Amino acid sequence: MVSRLTTGVLFALALFLSTTSAADEAAEAAKQATLADEAAAGNDAAKALEHLLKAHELQPANRDYLDAAALMAVQAGQTDAAVELYRKAIDVAVAQGAAGDVPFYNNEISTIRSAIPAWVDDKSADASAIAENKGEAFELWAAKQQEVANLSQGGSIDEALEAARQLLQIADDHFGAEHMTSIMSVRTLVELLAATAQIEEAEFMLQAAVGQATELLGAGHPETLDLQTMLARLYDSMSAFSEAQAVHESIRQGYAQGLGSGHPLAIAAQRDLARNYENQARFKYATSVLEETCEAARQALGPLHQETGLCLAHLASIKDQQGDLPEALALLDRALNVVSIALPADDPRLVETLTSRASVLRKLGRLADARDG
């Protein structure tokens, strides 16, 4: 009897101490959050972050502290720390059965990682400068640009094309080829040339524009690389895959050097290169590029980010085409573990991944699993 009573008392005491400790931790966490608010009000984001991290340490399952800490980390310029905090928030949300919040956190991570370095804006500003005596000329160019847009949207493609040629002439006459108005005019003209199947002229104009942009903005500037992307996709549309490959490889290198291999634009460029290899049935090279890309996405964006999952699904499609069905299925399962959380249920990319998995299961003879999945 004494033993049972003693055990009961000890259990009650332990429960009381545990409850008291939890209450004390919650109170201290709330105090740290209040101190963080005061620091934020004084524009001291770093100090606010310090307090919020203490609150998070005391209450790791409280996503309010994680959200606020990530925001303060961004304001303090600690972007890597902010991404890590949002990734922790994703883990907590999943554990709490709140997977519906994951897309929000992934969007915040994408926004952080999509930031463009200051040098890009500086280069763009220098290349777009308008001299005081060129104000009327710029207004003329802007009006013509709007005219092209109106004609194009109204379906008057031939007239829009003629207006686009005039737009480029205005830019070259008043600002010269080494100016952003000229590069933007070429982009507009090329889009219309491609729409009217004037491929050779579009190719010539793009090659010239890439050279101009490289000289004016630099090889790693997003505008230069975007023009190269247009050129690569033009080659792809012509089934000129070897020509496209050289451009895709240049784009990949440019983004990696200019923005970093973990930047969403760099990840997209790497997948474009993999598709080019895929179009040439060079599956070994496509696999190598995608394996590197998926790892870059995982590190920069997180294991539960949609881009990581979609990259795995792309890699699975390569394995499928090679006939490595078990590996394709394993990769698709990994991909679905990500995209089923990171994407809405009706997202076409999730549906496509599910369809791909069912197809692989059928090829493996697992018809019942294909139907159930």
Side-chain angles (χ1 to χ4, degrees), residues 293-368:
T293 305
C294 293
E295 180 59 20
R298 188 191 68 80
Q299 291 188 12
L301 303 173
L304 290 180
H305 193 280
Q306 63 269 17
E307 290 302 326
T308 302
L310 294 171
C311 185
L312 290 169
H314 190 177
L315 182 56
S317 75
I318 302 297
K319 296 297 183 179
D320 184 2
Q321 292 177 73
Q322 289 180 292
D324 190 350
L325 298 178
E327 181 64 15
L329 181 60
L331 285 165
L332 283 167
D333 285 341
R334 288 174 59 195
L336 278 171
N337 286 338
V338 178
V339 296
S340 61
I341 293 173
L343 295 175
D346 59 349
D347 190 290
R349 296 168 296 178
L350 172 56
V351 174
E352 181 180 356
T353 306
L354 287 165
T355 302
S356 297
R357 184 177 185 275
S359 174
V360 170
L361 285 169
R362 284 193 294 270
K363 291 176 183 178
L364 287 167
R366 296 168 55 180
L367 301 182

Side-chain angles (χ1 to χ4, degrees), residues 38-275:
E38 293 173 358
N43 295 319
D44 191 344
K47 192 66 176 178
L49 174 60
E50 182 182 328
H51 287 299
L52 286 166
L53 289 175
K54 290 179 181 177
H56 165 61
E57 184 177 350
L58 290 164
Q59 299 241 281
N62 188 321
R63 283 192 285 140
D64 289 339
Y65 296 148
L66 278 169
D67 293 354
L71 181 61
M72 286 300 105
V74 171
Q75 292 185 16
Q78 300 181 36
T79 53
D80 287 341
V83 168
E84 184 60 30
L85 287 163
Y86 280 129
R87 288 172 62 167
K88 286 184 178 179
I90 288 173
D91 291 339
V92 173
V94 172
Q96 293 175 342
D101 291 339
V102 171
F104 165 78
Y105 293 124
N106 278 334
N107 183 64
E108 293 300 307
I109 291 172
S110 294
T111 299
I112 292 169
R113 291 304 193 203
S114 296
I116 299 297
W119 71 264
V120 171
D121 290 334
D122 292 342
K123 281 282 189 180
S124 296
D126 290 343
S128 304
I130 304 294
E132 290 185 9
N133 63 340
K134 294 291 185 179
E136 290 185 8
F138 181 76
E139 290 179 5
L140 176 64
W141 178 84
K144 182 60 68 174
Q145 185 183 46
Q146 186 60 56
E147 179 186 341
V148 174
N150 292 340
L151 289 168
S152 180
Q153 291 169 10
S156 302
I157 302 300
D158 290 339
E159 293 179 41
L161 181 57
E162 180 57 32
R165 295 187 190 279
Q166 295 170 8
L167 179 71
L168 179 57
Q169 192 64 53
I170 292 170
D172 287 348
D173 287 347
H174 292 283
F175 305 105
E178 300 291 314
H179 193 273
M180 279 298 292
T181 53
S182 179
I183 293 173
M184 293 171 65
S185 299
V186 169
R187 174 193 291 277
T188 299
L189 178 55
V190 164
E191 289 173 350
L192 290 165
L193 287 169
T196 54
Q198 300 183 52
I199 303 301
E200 289 186 8
E201 186 179 359
E203 177 188 358
F204 174 80
M205 297 296 297
L206 272 175
Q207 288 175 337
V210 168
Q212 291 172 352
T214 301
E215 183 70 24
L216 184 63
L217 302 169
H221 193 286
E223 182 67 30
T224 303
L225 296 166
D226 196 41
L227 288 167
Q228 282 189 285
T229 300
M230 291 176 68
L231 179 60
R233 289 175 179 170
L234 182 67
Y235 284 139
D236 282 330
S237 71
M238 298 162 58
S239 297
F241 297 126
S242 60
E243 290 86 348
Q245 178 189 323
V247 182
H248 280 302
E249 289 174 344
S250 176
I251 295 166
R252 179 196 193 191
Q253 183 178 5
Y255 275 125
Q257 292 179 350
L259 303 180
S261 60
H263 195 282
L265 289 174
I267 291 170
Q270 292 177 160
R271 288 190 62 191
D272 281 344
L273 175 58
R275 290 188 191 94

